Amino acid sequence: QVQLVESGGDLVQPGGSLRLSCVATGSTQDYYAIGWFRQYPGKEREGVSCIAYYDGSTHYKDSVKGRFAISRGHTTGTVYLQMNNLKPEDSGVYYCATAPTLGCDLAPHYYPTANWGKGTLVTVSS
């Protein structure tokens, strides 16, 4: 059983930056994918970015390319999401999830239901 905990969400003004952290513990495997997702009230959960731990390959949602950067931490199972030039439409609850696969995907259904964290709230507003 894997557990994931997100942190780093906050209220920030447009144009500001935040760094989110995701720590996965438990039955992690040598190769796995970790993804970041967000959900705004009344909207569907959407994939923002993901990283394949095996080779470090990454994917990004088009609207965040050039502004967000996903990276692995020094501790196994830790992934960061650096978010710059934040916009109001970036607001939402941000979740991380993990899948026992070599590659990663931005589709939420790619990640087992049990492998999600509880989320951290990001609010971008002046």
Side-chain angles (χ1 to χ4, degrees):
Q1 192 77 18
V2 64
Q3 296 83 38
L4 298 101
V5 178
E6 306 93 337
S7 62
D10 205 346
L11 169 63
V12 63
Q13 292 187 345
S17 298
L18 283 175
R19 188 176 82 158
L20 305 184
S21 300
C22 172
V23 179
T25 58
S27 301
T28 55
Q29 300 186 25
D30 292 332
Y31 46 90
Y32 51 89
I34 291 184
W36 279 101
F37 304 83
R38 65 188 181 195
Q39 187 167 21
Y40 196 80
K43 293 189 176 181
E44 292 189 357
R45 190 170 297 186
E46 60 180 10
V48 175
S49 182
C50 67
I51 185 166
Y53 232 87
Y54 181 68
D55 62 2
S57 58
T58 59
H59 295 286
Y60 293 93
K61 177 179 173 62
D62 285 346
S63 64
V64 307
K65 287 180 180 178
R67 300 188 296 122
F68 290 13
I70 192 170
S71 62
R72 296 173 291 188
H74 294 297
T75 303
T76 300
T78 300
V79 169
Y80 302 107
L81 184 67
Q82 178 67 42
M83 307 188 296
N84 299 323
N85 190 21
L86 282 161
K87 303 176 181 181
E89 52 264 40
D90 294 319
S91 298
V93 178
Y94 280 69
Y95 302 89
C96 64
T98 185
T101 56
L102 284 175
C104 76
D105 197 283
L106 294 180
H109 63 75
Y110 188 80
Y111 299 79
T113 303
N115 293 3
W116 288 76
K118 297 186 182 301
T120 185
L121 178 63
V122 172
T123 304
V124 184
S125 175
S126 55

